Amino acid sequence: MDKNTIIGFVLIAAILIGWSWYNSPSEEELKAQQEQVEKEKAAAKQAAEKKKQEEAKKTEELAQARKDSTAIFHNALNGTASDVVLKNEKLELTLSTKGGTVTKAVVKGYKDKDGKPDVTIFEGKDQQLDFSLEGKDTNISTSDLFFTPSEQSDSTVTFTADAGDGRSIVMSYRLGRNYMAYFTFKAVGMEGLFSPKTHAMNVTWHERCKQQEKGHEFENRYATLTYKEKGSGTDYLSETQEKSEVLETPLDWVAFKSQFFSTMMIAKDEFSTGAKVKSVPQDKSTGYLKTYDAELETFFDPKGETATELEFFYGPNDFRLLQAVEKESHFGKDLKMERLVYLGWPLIRYINRFFTLYVFDWLTKLGLNMGIVLILITLLLKAITYPMVKKSYMSSAKMRVLRPKIEEATKQYDKPEDQMQKSQAQMQIYSQYGVSPLSGCLPMLIQMPIWIAMFNFVPNAIQLRGEKFLWISDLSTYDPILQWDTPIWAIGDHLSLTCILFCVANVLYSVMTMRQQRDQMVGEQAQQMKMMQWMMFLMPVFFFFMFNNYSAGLNFYYFISLFFSAAIMFILRKTTNDAKLLAFLEARYEENKKNPKKKKGFAARLEAMQQQMQQQQEEMKRKREELERKQNELNKKLKK
């Protein structure tokens, strides 16, 4: 370090020290700042205490309101809770006489994660539902009341809470032949208890969404509070973080959804604007995915002449089944219940909706194993995209056989400032031989939406749930080759074999594609390709951390897809005769040379673009020479 450098550092340090001293506050300023901080702390403490008192008062008022709400129902205040069971071949619902709502929902015919024959969506306090009404003097809450069951059968029950003097609340349930239950609510003889403005019933709904599958993290990605806006589509709260919203549009339904099963509440007269919904993710150790809350309002007739009508769906998220169940609805609405099965954003959804689903249904009806179905879907997609893949490969092969000619034609442009002429010369050769260097991009652009479509389709296909194939015990969740107790960051507590196979296949496929691209590149392009190789190898590593928790079915599909892609590329390489291809290009070159007007497509556009660029360069050169000439003339005049 020389003397000047040392002096420079000393001056900089002196300036910084002086600036700090100049801007440092005085003792009076420090005292004033400290007093301001103390005031802010006191104000914050006072505000927190006030908020706590307000919350305590609100809780006390709510408790008093609930106490008042039961005052007129003194006949229904006491009792012993008992269960009423409604069931059909596919669903079993347990209802409690305390509150008159469903306390347990069991879907039949689907094994749970422990191997038991049926899936329990919720039971006990995991789901709570309360209907409340605002009266003139008191509020009424059904969760506080004991109901008397009547008209009971395997599919129907009527609950009555008696308030005396001919006043009562009557709720009835009728279970359909599948997964829907029809519900009505009436307040009989209670018109005088309500304000003339009361025409809404409050619905408070809460559920702790149980983990139903082996992989908590993966299942949680597909567990959402979903809702349908009236006259519009569906939406959902964030699946990854705590989220609450006040919705500005009326709703046809709200659903509490796990990956493969849902509970849905549908309103005949919709849920009013201002619905409050909330979703909170739960830790793996709890055995739950999320807690869901919904505060809703819907139509209520205080005169008791027209019943409030709702429908409940308790069942699997099966696209075709949901379409069929919707037809059983009494409300005649376009409910779009199948949207519980998420198929991706619009373009991807159309691919899955009008192609993948039909192919999947057709193959499933053949009674094939689901692993075989995935293989056949992959083969079908490869057959459809093969013409484009072949076209892409042949474009690369043409550039490969022309590489020596391009290197010869561009070897004089080895300086950095000559890169424009080098590119023009290269494009000129492509134009003369009728080769399009961009044609290799189109197949990849077309295949990418298919990959994304399957990314959305496979994890939501309930048909894969519990299906075995080769070493895989369940195609809908991960297939561990190795497991341990303490989770490792970014990996988890296992290694998935199909994920490893997918990543290894990705590495091998990347090597093949890089070799193919390198064979057609010239000069600096080839050097740049070598520098980018490490990025190509990082992608499979990224995929490993991303897909290790994903379903074996999805990883298996990607593995098979890459395997067939590599096989196709290998076959095309072996069946392509470079000498014949070069002879074909030479013949085309001679034909274009004799008949320049016959050029069409990319070659014609490329030549026109080159001519335009050349004209622009000549024009710029002419203007530059004219400017230099005028500058010289001006300099001569100034010298005189």
Side-chain angles (χ1 to χ4, degrees), residues 155 166 188 224 226 228 340 383 385 395 477 502 561 628:
S155 60
V188 180
T224 57
T226 306
K228 181 190 177 297
L340 282 176
T385 57
S395 175
T477 187
F502 161 47
S561 180
E628 289 176 354

Side-chain angles (χ1 to χ4, degrees), residues 252-502:
D252 283 327
W253 53 258
V254 176
F256 295 162
K257 174 182 178 294
S258 65
Q259 184 179 4
F260 292 125
F261 300 93
S262 292
T263 302
M264 178 189 291
M265 188 190 304
I266 307 164
K268 179 182 180 180
D269 299 291
E270 68 265 346
F271 296 113
S272 305
T273 301
K276 298 177 182 178
V277 291
K278 184 177 182 180
S279 173
V280 182
Q282 301 297 295
D283 188 76
K284 180 179 179 180
S285 61
T286 64
Y288 293 88
L289 304 172
K290 291 181 173 71
T291 59
Y292 297 130
D293 288 280
E295 295 180 22
L296 312 165
E297 274 191 5
T298 190
F299 164 82
F300 170 70
D301 178 15
K303 296 180 181 180
E305 295 174 355
T306 305
T308 300
E309 298 178 69
L310 301 174
E311 286 178 326
F312 294 91
F313 169 81
Y314 308 92
N317 301 327
D318 183 323
F319 191 93
R320 298 302 187 197
L321 183 145
L322 288 164
Q323 286 183 318
V325 167
E326 181 175 327
K327 296 176 182 178
E328 298 177 16
S329 172
H330 294 73
F331 303 155
K333 294 183 175 182
D334 180 15
L335 296 173
K336 293 184 172 65
M337 290 176 63
E338 71 276 3
R339 289 290 185 88
L340 282 176
V341 182
Y342 183 71
L343 297 179
W345 4 289
L347 173 61
I348 305 303
R349 183 168 66 243
Y350 287 130
I351 294 173
N352 282 327
R353 174 69 180 82
F354 298 106
F355 174 78
T356 313
L357 265 170
Y358 283 99
V359 174
F360 189 78
D361 291 344
W362 173 60
L363 293 174
T364 303
K365 288 177 182 177
L366 297 177
L368 301 173
N369 180 279
M370 287 299 154
I372 301 298
V373 169
L374 289 175
I375 293 174
L376 292 177
I377 288 178
T378 308
L379 282 172
L380 179 61
L381 292 172
K382 293 301 176 185
I384 292 172
T385 57
Y386 176 76
M388 293 174 288
V389 172
K390 184 177 180 180
K391 183 178 180 180
S392 171
Y393 176 82
M394 293 308 297
S395 175
S396 300
K398 290 173 184 177
M399 289 189 285
R400 182 179 70 244
V401 298
L402 288 176
R403 180 178 176 181
K405 294 183 179 296
I406 294 174
E407 288 179 337
E408 180 64 25
T410 59
K411 63 182 180 181
Q412 67 269 31
Y413 304 117
D414 56 350
K415 297 179 181 179
E417 61 268 22
D418 295 336
Q419 291 307 305
M420 176 65 75
Q421 289 121 319
K422 185 174 184 178
S423 297
Q424 287 179 344
Q426 186 173 339
M427 290 296 113
Q428 180 66 26
I429 293 175
Y430 287 147
S431 175
Q432 291 171 346
Y433 284 89
V435 175
S436 171
L438 299 179
S439 62
C441 301
L442 182 60
M444 181 58 68
L445 294 176
I446 292 175
Q447 290 186 82
M448 188 57 67
I450 295 175
W451 270 56
I452 299 173
M454 295 301 288
F455 177 84
N456 286 284
F457 178 81
V458 174
N460 287 294
I462 194 171
Q463 291 83 355
L464 299 180
R465 187 178 184 271
E467 285 291 315
K468 298 179 180 180
F469 181 66
L470 299 177
W471 69 88
I472 304 169
S473 60
D474 186 350
L475 284 165
S476 70
T477 187
Y478 60 82
D479 58 318
I481 189 176
L482 187 64
Q483 286 185 287
W484 51 87
D485 294 329
T486 304
I488 299 175
W489 180 81
I491 296 178
D493 58 1
H494 67 275
L495 290 178
S496 174
L497 179 55
T498 51
C499 178
I500 294 172
L501 290 174
F502 161 47

Side-chain angles (χ1 to χ4, degrees), residues 205-241:
W205 193 21
H206 168 83
E207 181 180 316
R208 296 181 74 195
C209 184
K210 289 179 64 175
Q211 178 184 347
Q212 302 288 359
E213 314 306 324
K214 181 169 65 175
H216 181 277
E217 181 181 341
F218 182 64
E219 186 183 5
N220 218 349
R221 289 191 182 100
Y222 299 91
T224 57
L225 190 155
T226 306
Y227 53 88
K228 181 190 177 297
E229 298 173 341
K230 181 183 177 182
S232 184
T234 58
D235 204 349
Y236 58 90
L237 299 186
S238 171
E239 63 271 50
T240 58
Q241 59 186 354

Side-chain angles (χ1 to χ4, degrees), residues 82-96:
S82 61
D83 292 336
V84 174
V85 178
L86 305 181
K87 59 184 177 180
N88 57 27
E89 294 180 354
K90 300 179 179 179
L91 181 66
E92 182 177 302
L93 301 178
T94 301
L95 298 91
S96 175

